[in-house]
């Protein structure tokens, strides 16, 4: 039976198991929107800006491990998606972005709202399609989901001209994809496994660095078995948070620029680094020439191009983390590293994370810690980038798998609000907190309307220091406290929230924190709290940009007003 | 690290945008492409591409791996250090008068090149060979006055097993 391109698209999405589409309309997607009501299985969430559609689909995908879908019109609709697509690309998130395009005869004519979106997105997609015939659509959609969701996941763009949406073709759902150039899950090299096991068994001061690859591969069990059998202390990358329970005796927090001092010290003193599903990002390694100077490096990743990209490794293993660890676990010895672990515990004792100071006013660390306590650590925390992100990473103890959703690689302000929408829609029974800075919140603030309209019951915490906090911190530390355009005038966020129909509270003192969080949690719908925290509070510990992981800056003992 | 000329050969799907995907990857990694030659391969629907870039081996290996990840790239190898045969084709339009024509003809004879067009005041020459051969012919002809040169860039295949 013949169907229109729009119908073929919708049928194909249903076949892929899509339940939610995040999008906003425009001229070049009208045929798709006109067709949507025929497919009630496809829930459409109407966002207020296309960037939010991509971030929401991103959040949804991180939690479900299935491709999130976003939909936008041609031209500005499509370009507005780009930040969201890039964000998903950097963090290896499966995403299928569908854009309308002007009708085929107008392509290349600079027609109204025409833009070469497949060209613009080229460096930030895993793959992309410009569909020229409705008969190709079913195959393209199947390939797009397959590519987005397999191997190292990533975003795939499908650009569909208006006439392709309208014209009819026979709907034939292909039963398999034909991708001769797409290499999947390489067979794990047995010899490398044996060499790796030898290295692991012989190591005296080994450290595991857990990355997001463990979460993508859902290898929580295998990872835990590996760690417990070998008794190797674990640190994680920012996006590796949620790969291993942080209340475990072998968990030593996050490494990197704002990692725990003891995590970085463990790495710098290790004789073996076992890097699993991570990519040696500069925020994690600091200066690579001084990174883990005493260690051999074993790198396990599904992407062969990550091996040796940022630093030389001694033993690479390319493969899906779950498969690799299953094989490796059979080869490693039951070990103990009592002296080594007690050494790291000693560092942890000497350089603890502190979530409050008596002489201080309302500290952001204090806020995060109370959210942790009052949710009993069961919440999913969603952050954008900056100080709020680092405090959320440091002061909430992540025990549940995949409970931290954050913009890591791209570092996108404003990710937190729409991504939290996507997360909440994926797991409506979970408590979802969007942790925003006052700067980032205003980058996607318009989604408050979406949240209200769809009654998405997320809890929003604005860590409001009336500044672009992380940049202000850098200006303080590296530009002699010359605050150029980092201090913000803000609207009354409580009134703003109420105007959007979302109840809200302002918190200015420590004593108000717990009652406010209770109010948010007790309320069945969305709720916002504007935490007015100390303006010049900094994130510590810190490794200065470009420095090595051994150069740890901590809270200065001197008064903040003294110049340095 | 030593920047040497690397020869990469790739078997790619013959689809719109493939060349763009590949060239943009080189651009992103800050490689300047010396030459790129694309044409159909022995398999219908697939093209073979020869790319020459300068870089140290680790950098080129990184870009090779990134190329290999492209969905439309079936296979890509760095054949710089294996036994290969390479050729390049050049067309050279050189000034020629009645006085110089026979001298030019002698030179191109030595190079086993051909004259493919004769005009009143120019000759167009076709030469095939490795880049050094093409370079030296161009150098020799320069004295007569070269009007235009077009080169295909290197095409390469690994040698067959003896």
């Amino acid at each position: 039976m013949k169907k229109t391109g729009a119908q073929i698209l919708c049928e194909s999405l249903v076949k892929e198991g899509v339940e939610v589409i995040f999008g906003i309309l425009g001229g070049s997607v009208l045929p798709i929107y006109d067709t949507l009501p025929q497919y009630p299985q496809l829930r459409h969430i109407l966002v207020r800006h296309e960037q939010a559609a991509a971030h929401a689909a991103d959040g949804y995908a991180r939690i479900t491990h299935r491709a999130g879908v976003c939909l936008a019109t041609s031209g500005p609709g499509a370009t507005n998606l780009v930040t969201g697509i890039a964000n998903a690309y950097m963090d290896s998130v499966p995403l299928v972005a569908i854009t309308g395009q002007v009708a085929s005869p107008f392509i290349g004519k600079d027609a109204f709202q025409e833009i070469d979106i497949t060209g613009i997105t080229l460096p930030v997609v895993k793959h992309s399609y410009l569909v020229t015939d409705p008969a190709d659509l079913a195959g393209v959609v199947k390939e797009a989901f397959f590519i987005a969701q397999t191997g190292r996941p990533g975003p795939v763009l499908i650009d569909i001209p208006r006439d392709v949406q309208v014209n009819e073709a026979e709907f034939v759902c292909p039963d398999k994809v034909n991708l001769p150039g797409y290499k999947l899950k390489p067979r794990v090299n047995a010899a490398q496994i044996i060499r790796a096991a030898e290295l692991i068994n012989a190591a005296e001061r080994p450290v595991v660095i857990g990355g997001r690859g463990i979460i993508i591969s859902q290898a929580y069990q295998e990872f835990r078995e590996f760690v417990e059998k070998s008794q190797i202390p674990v640190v994680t990358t920012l996006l590796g948070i949620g790969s291993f329970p942080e209340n475990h005796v072998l968990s030593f927090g996050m490494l990197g620029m704002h990692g725990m001092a003891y995590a970085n010290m463990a790495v710098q003193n290790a004789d073996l680094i076992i890097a699993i599903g991570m990519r040696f990002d500069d925020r994690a390694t600091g200066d690579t020439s001084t990174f883990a100077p005493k260690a051999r490096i074993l790198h396990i990743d599904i992407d062969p191009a990550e091996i040796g990209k940022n630093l030389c490794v001694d033993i690479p293993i390319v493969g899906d983390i779950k498969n690799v660890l299953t094989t490796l676990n059979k080869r490693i010895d039951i070990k103990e590293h009592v002296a080594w672990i007690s050494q790291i515990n000693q560092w942890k004792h000497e350089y603890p994370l502190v979530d409050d100071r008596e002489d201080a006013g309302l500290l952001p660390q204090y806020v995060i810690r109370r959210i942790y306590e009052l949710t009993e650590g069961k919440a999913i925390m969603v952050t954008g980038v900056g100080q709020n992100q680092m405090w959320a990473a440091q002061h909430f103890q992540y025990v549940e798998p995949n409970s931290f959703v954050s913009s890591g690689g791209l570092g996108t302000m404003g990710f937190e609000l729409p991504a939290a929408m996507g997360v909440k829609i994926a797991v409506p029974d979970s408590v979802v907190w969007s942790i925003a800075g006052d700067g980032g919140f205003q980058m996607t603030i318009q989604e408050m309307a979406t949240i209200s309209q769809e009654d998405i019951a997320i809890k929003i915490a604005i860590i409001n220091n009336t500044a672009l906090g992380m940049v202000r911190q850098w200006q303080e530390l590296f530009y002699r406290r010359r605050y150029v355009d980092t201090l913000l005038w803000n609207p009354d966020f409580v009134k703003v929230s109420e105007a959007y129909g979302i109840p809200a509270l302002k918190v200015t003192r420590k004593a108000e924190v717990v009652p406010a969080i209770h109010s948010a949690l007790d309320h069945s719908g969305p709720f916002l709290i504007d935490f007015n925290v100390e303006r010049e509070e900094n994130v510590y510990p810190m490794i200065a940009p470009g420095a090595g992981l051994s150069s740890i800056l901590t809270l200065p003992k001197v008064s903040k007003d003294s110049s340095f | 690290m030593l920047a040497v000329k690397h020869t990469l050969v790739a078997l790619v799907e013959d689809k719109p945008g493939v060349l763009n995907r590949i060239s943009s990857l080189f651009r992103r990694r800050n490689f300047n492409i010396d030459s790129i030659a694309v044409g159909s391969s022995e398999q219908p629907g697939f093209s073979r591409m020869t790319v020459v870039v300068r870089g140290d081996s680790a950098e080129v290996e990184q870009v090779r791996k990134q190329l290999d990840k492209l969905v439309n790239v079936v296979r890509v190898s760095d054949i710089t250090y294996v036994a290969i045969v390479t050729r390049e084709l050049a067309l050279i339009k050189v000034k020629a008068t009645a006085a110089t024509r026979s001298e030019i003809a002698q030179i191109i004879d030595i190079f086993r090149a051909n004259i493919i067009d004769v005009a009143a005041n120019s000759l167009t020459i076709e030469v095939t060979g490795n880049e050094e051969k093409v370079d030296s012919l161009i150098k020799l002809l320069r004295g007569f006055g070269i009007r235009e040169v077009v080169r295909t860039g290197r095409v390469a295949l690994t040698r067959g097993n003896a």
Side-chain angles (χ1 to χ4, degrees):
Chain A
M1 199 186 115
K2 287 205 164 194
K3 290 179 185 295
T4 66
Q7 286 174 317
I8 293 173
L9 172 69
C10 293
E11 294 264 352
S12 304
L13 294 176
V14 170
K15 281 222 153 54
E16 291 298 328
V18 173
E19 291 165 348
V20 192
I21 299 169
F22 301 90
I24 185 160
L25 336 226
S28 294
V29 283
L30 272 171
I32 296 174
Y33 274 93
D34 192 50
T35 307
L36 268 181
Q38 297 169 29
Y39 300 89
Q41 310 96 307
L42 300 172
R43 178 182 176 193
H44 182 260
I45 304 285
L46 173 64
V47 297
R48 298 301 189 271
H49 187 286
E50 290 83 358
Q51 181 190 352
H55 288 328
D58 179 322
Y60 180 88
R62 290 189 205 221
I63 293 300
T64 59
H65 300 280
R66 298 201 313 267
V69 180
C70 55
L71 176 57
T73 193
S74 63
T79 53
N80 279 347
L81 282 181
V82 173
T83 302
I85 293 172
N87 191 78
Y89 181 76
M90 292 290 273
D91 289 349
S92 309
V93 178
L95 195 73
V96 172
I98 301 166
T99 48
Q101 181 54 279
V102 298
S104 306
F106 292 98
I107 292 180
K109 305 288 197 297
D110 299 324
F112 177 66
Q113 294 194 330
E114 185 203 349
I115 206 77
D116 172 19
I117 194 63
T118 47
I120 285 176
T121 54
L122 202 59
V124 292
V125 293
K126 190 170 171 188
H127 197 53
S128 55
Y129 297 89
L130 170 60
V131 185
T132 53
D133 183 343
D136 296 339
L137 250 175
V140 164
V141 172
K142 194 173 181 67
E143 283 183 14
F145 277 82
F146 184 72
I147 291 167
Q149 295 175 147
T150 53
R152 178 178 181 174
V156 178
L157 177 98
I158 308 176
D159 197 25
I160 314 174
R162 200 174 188 281
D163 53 315
V164 175
Q165 300 166 28
V166 175
N167 291 343
E168 293 190 333
E170 210 63 50
F171 176 56
V172 190
C173 187
D175 47 1
K176 56 175 187 256
V177 293
N178 175 31
L179 295 166
Y182 188 59
K183 299 111 199 151
L184 258 188
K185 291 193 183 169
R187 189 182 295 276
V188 177
N189 185 319
Q192 293 294 82
I193 292 278
I194 292 169
R195 286 180 59 204
E198 281 169 5
L199 218 56
I200 293 165
N201 293 336
E204 287 174 6
R205 298 184 314 280
V207 170
V208 172
I209 304 176
R212 196 174 120 71
I214 297 163
I215 296 170
I216 294 171
S217 176
Q218 298 180 71
Y220 313 109
Q221 201 49 49
E222 293 76 8
F223 183 45
R224 191 172 174 148
E225 189 188 327
F226 173 82
V227 168
E228 288 181 345
K229 192 174 175 187
S230 60
Q231 287 291 304
I232 299 179
V234 176
V235 303
T236 69
T237 64
L238 176 73
L239 293 188
I241 291 174
S243 64
F244 189 72
E246 290 187 344
N247 60 352
H248 195 285
V249 288
L250 289 169
S251 170
F252 291 96
M254 175 177 79
L255 89 161
M257 183 174 271
H258 291 294
M260 289 55 159
Y262 44 90
N264 287 336
M265 291 163 99
V267 167
Q268 291 306 81
N269 288 283
D271 67 349
L272 176 66
I273 297 289
I274 303 150
I276 306 180
M278 57 83 75
R279 56 185 178 83
F280 295 104
D281 176 77
D282 56 281
R283 288 296 191 267
T285 61
D287 176 11
T288 48
S289 68
T290 58
F291 175 78
K294 302 162 193 169
R296 307 244 265 172
I297 294 173
L298 163 62
H299 189 189
I300 307 173
D301 201 276
I302 197 165
D303 181 356
E306 286 304 334
I307 306 294
K309 185 182 80 178
N310 290 345
L311 52 83
C312 284
V313 297
D314 297 284
I315 298 186
I317 299 179
V318 176
D320 180 79
I321 306 295
K322 203 177 185 115
N323 295 341
V324 173
L325 288 181
T326 303
T327 320
L328 193 56
N329 283 347
K330 293 180 193 142
R331 291 266 173 190
I332 56 170
D333 296 341
I334 296 174
K335 294 267 287 192
E336 284 189 340
H337 296 103
V338 180
W340 172 229
I341 290 163
S342 62
Q343 170 67 71
I344 304 172
N345 273 314
Q346 175 65 28
W347 288 325
K348 188 174 178 178
H349 183 73
E350 286 168 29
Y351 303 95
L353 274 183
V354 183
D355 61 41
D356 197 14
R357 293 191 307 278
E358 278 193 7
D359 60 331
L362 179 57
L363 293 184
Q365 301 92 315
Y366 180 86
V367 171
I368 300 291
R369 192 66 193 171
R370 298 292 90 73
I371 293 176
Y372 164 72
E373 285 168 1
L374 295 179
T375 58
E376 295 165 342
K378 298 266 189 331
I380 299 175
M381 300 283 272
V382 186
T383 85
V385 69
Q387 288 187 316
N388 59 86
Q389 174 189 41
M390 290 301 137
W391 286 315
Q394 290 176 339
H395 294 278
F396 191 101
Q397 193 173 56
Y398 296 89
V399 175
E400 302 294 319
N402 201 13
S403 50
F404 179 69
V405 170
S406 189
S407 173
L410 194 66
T412 312
M413 288 172 69
F415 171 77
E416 61 282 353
L417 193 66
M421 298 179 346
V423 169
K424 183 67 182 174
I425 284 163
V427 281
D429 295 333
S430 296
V431 176
V432 179
W433 279 85
S434 170
I435 307 297
D438 48 305
F441 181 66
Q442 293 179 85
M443 287 200 176
T444 47
I445 192 170
Q446 76 288 341
E447 295 313 309
M448 296 289 277
T450 308
I451 291 164
S452 244
Q453 184 164 356
E454 297 284 340
D455 195 25
I456 303 168
I458 60 170
K459 312 301 171 187
I460 302 155
I462 305 178
I463 307 297
N464 182 356
N465 50 14
T466 58
L468 301 168
M470 187 59 92
V471 187
R472 184 210 54 74
Q473 176 170 342
W474 283 42
Q475 287 177 337
E476 176 187 331
L477 299 179
F478 310 120
Y479 293 86
R480 295 176 174 272
R481 205 163 172 256
R482 286 193 298 274
Y483 292 158
V484 180
D485 287 326
T486 43
L487 306 181
L488 302 180
W489 175 90
N490 286 326
D492 182 333
F493 288 123
V494 171
K495 280 188 183 161
V496 168
S497 189
E498 284 168 355
Y500 276 114
I502 297 172
L505 285 172
K506 186 196 292 287
V507 168
T508 55
R509 293 181 300 118
K510 279 182 203 172
E512 299 164 354
V513 171
V514 168
I517 296 170
H518 271 305
S519 302
L521 292 172
D522 292 344
H523 183 72
S524 62
F527 199 96
L528 179 142
I529 308 173
D530 176 18
F531 291 103
N532 291 203
V533 299
E534 293 274 294
R535 179 179 252 182
E536 293 195 72
E537 182 63 11
N538 287 339
V539 180
Y540 289 112
M542 180 178 192
I543 311 290
L549 289 191
S550 300
S551 319
I552 300 167
L553 305 174
T554 53
L555 182 71
K557 297 275 190 289
V558 290
S559 156
K560 292 200 104 173
D561 294 328
S562 64
S563 57
F564 61 89
Chain B
M1 285 285 189
L2 203 61
V4 296
K5 268 191 180 183
H6 284 254
T7 308
L8 300 176
V9 291
L11 184 69
V12 304
E13 285 187 90
D14 180 14
K15 288 194 170 163
V18 173
L19 182 59
N20 189 12
R21 285 176 202 277
I22 289 172
S23 59
S24 93
L25 244 176
F26 283 101
R27 178 189 56 76
R28 241 184 96 198
R29 302 279 160 182
N30 208 16
F31 279 98
N32 185 17
I33 296 174
D34 272 26
S35 74
I36 188 164
V38 199
S40 38
S41 74
E42 72 286 356
Q43 300 175 50
F46 293 89
S47 305
R48 186 164 271 108
M49 200 176 270
T50 310
V51 187
V52 179
V53 289
R54 269 171 231 266
D56 76 56
S57 293
E59 282 174 359
V60 174
E61 175 59 6
Q62 174 57 211
V63 80
R64 189 199 66 76
K65 284 178 179 173
Q66 297 289 353
L67 286 172
D68 209 24
K69 274 165 66 174
L70 292 177
V71 170
N72 297 132
V73 173
V74 180
R75 203 166 46 242
V76 54
S77 331
D78 183 351
I79 58 171
T80 311
Y81 299 108
V82 299
I84 51 173
V85 283
T86 71
R87 285 292 180 273
E88 182 178 25
L89 172 78
L91 300 180
I92 307 158
K93 192 188 284 174
V94 60
K95 277 189 213 164
T97 59
T100 57
R101 205 167 278 144
S102 63
E103 194 183 342
I104 294 172
Q106 270 183 359
I107 292 171
I108 64 168
D109 224 27
I110 300 165
F111 280 82
R112 290 184 201 145
N114 298 311
I115 296 171
I116 54 172
D117 185 54
V118 183
N121 47 16
S122 74
L123 289 172
T124 302
I125 295 151
E126 165 205 46
V127 61
T128 318
N130 60 28
E131 287 111 309
E132 289 74 23
K133 175 179 165 185
V134 176
D135 287 345
S136 31
L137 178 58
I138 291 172
K139 205 171 151 195
L140 282 171
L141 293 175
R142 200 159 277 151
F144 299 96
I146 288 178
R147 292 226 162 114
E148 277 179 277
V149 173
V150 59
R151 300 173 71 152
T152 58
R154 185 189 294 183
V155 292
L157 281 179
T158 55
R159 285 185 185 274
N161 293 325

